Amino acid sequence: MDTIATDTFSAKTLRLCALAGAASALSTLALILLPEQFPAVETMADRAARAASPLYRAYLLIYLVHPLLCLAAALAVAQQVRRQAPQLAGLALLGFAAWASAEFLQQCLSWVANIGLANAWSAPDASGRDTWTQLWPSYRLVWDALYLFLLYGFMLGNTAMALGLARGGAVQHWFGLAFGGAALLTLGLLSGEFGYPLPAGMFDWAYLVWQPAARLAVALWLWRLAARATPALSDGDAATRGAAAGV
C-alpha cells in the first residue's frame, strides 16, 4: 500500500511533472540517436560546419531543456519518497539538482561555443577563426570537468532515490529498480572516465533501452498518482487529497 503525498504537490502539479517526465524520455532518445546523424569531425572547419547545421542546433536546444525536464520529474518522485525516507529524499534532490545544474551549465557553454564557432567561420574576416581555434581546448577542458561533476551528482540522485523508494510500497520497489539501474549505468560511465570502460557496445544498448523506458514508466506512475489524488466529482463526500490509496 503506497501513500500519495500531495500536501505540497497538487494533482495538477503531479500531472505537469508527469508530462515533463514523458518529455524527458523522448529527449533522452533524441540525445542518444541524433549524434549518429552527424558526420565525423576532424578539423575546426568540420566542427564549424556541424555547428551551423539546423539539426545540430536542434540537438543543442534539446540538451538545454533535457535536464530541466528530468529535474521536474525527480522533484515529484522525491515528494513521494519524503513520506517514508525524508533524508534520502533530500539527498536525491541534492544529487539531481547538482546534476541538472552542471548539465545545464555545460550545455549553455556548448551553445555559446558552437554558435560562436559557426559565426567565426562564416564571417568574411578570418581572424575570429584563430581565436576560436585557440579557445577550443579550454572549452573542452571545462566541458569535461563539468561532465565528471554531473556524473557524481546523477549517481548520488539515482542511488538515494532508489534506496528511498525501496522503503515504500510494492509498486515503489519496482521504480526503485528503475533508479537503481540508472545509478549502475552511471557507475559504468564513471569507470570509463577513470580508465576502466565497459566492453564496447554493451553500455550503449543498455542506456538506449533502460533510460527512456524507465523515465516513461515513472511518468506514467506520476500521472496515475495524480489521478488517484484528484477528488471524485461524482461523490458528495469531500475527498481528502492526502488519503492513503493502493497504487
Side-chain angles (χ1 to χ4, degrees):
M1 186 76 73
D2 291 336
T3 57
I4 302 171
T6 57
D7 50 336
T8 57
F9 275 25
S10 66
K12 181 178 180 180
T13 303
L14 280 172
R15 288 193 184 97
L16 289 174
C17 292
L19 291 174
S24 75
L26 295 176
S27 63
T28 300
L29 275 175
L31 295 175
I32 293 172
L33 298 176
L34 278 179
E36 297 178 4
Q37 309 303 314
F38 306 138
V41 295
E42 297 180 359
T43 66
M44 292 300 293
D46 293 339
R47 290 189 177 92
R50 182 183 64 180
S53 162
L55 184 61
Y56 191 73
R57 294 194 178 188
Y59 169 77
L60 293 176
L61 286 173
I62 293 171
Y63 232 137
L64 274 172
V65 176
H66 175 72
L68 306 180
L69 296 173
C70 294
L71 182 59
L75 284 169
V77 177
Q79 173 67 6
Q80 303 306 312
V81 172
R82 187 176 65 86
R83 285 295 182 89
Q84 68 262 10
Q87 294 88 354
L88 287 171
L91 272 178
L93 280 181
L94 177 64
F96 279 114
W99 162 75
S101 299
E103 184 156 297
F104 186 71
L105 178 58
Q106 182 193 50
Q107 298 311 316
C108 287
L109 182 64
S110 290
W111 177 265
V112 171
N114 280 278
I115 297 303
L117 182 67
N119 291 340
W121 247 258
S122 64
D125 184 4
S127 62
R129 301 180 185 182
D130 294 335
T131 300
W132 277 104
T133 300
Q134 294 170 10
L135 286 175
W136 202 259
S138 298
Y139 154 68
R140 287 301 313 179
L141 184 65
V142 175
W143 198 97
D144 289 343
L146 286 171
Y147 179 68
L148 184 59
F149 178 83
L150 68 86
L151 286 180
Y152 278 108
F154 198 60
M155 192 166 73
L156 172 63
N158 279 290
T159 301
M161 198 77 86
L163 293 174
L165 287 166
R167 297 187 181 183
V171 172
Q172 288 196 14
H173 289 177
W174 287 106
F175 290 104
L177 291 177
F179 284 93
L184 287 176
L185 289 173
T186 307
L187 183 61
L189 286 173
L190 272 171
S191 69
E193 289 298 303
F194 289 100
Y196 299 97
L198 294 177
M202 183 184 78
F203 178 83
D204 295 339
W205 280 106
Y207 203 89
L208 174 63
V209 173
W210 189 269
Q211 285 289 63
R215 284 171 177 162
L216 182 59
V218 168
L220 292 173
W221 176 52
L222 291 175
W223 189 270
R224 189 180 179 190
L225 287 178
R228 288 176 176 268
T230 304
L233 296 178
S234 58
D235 293 341
D237 300 334
T240 308
R241 282 186 182 268
V247 180

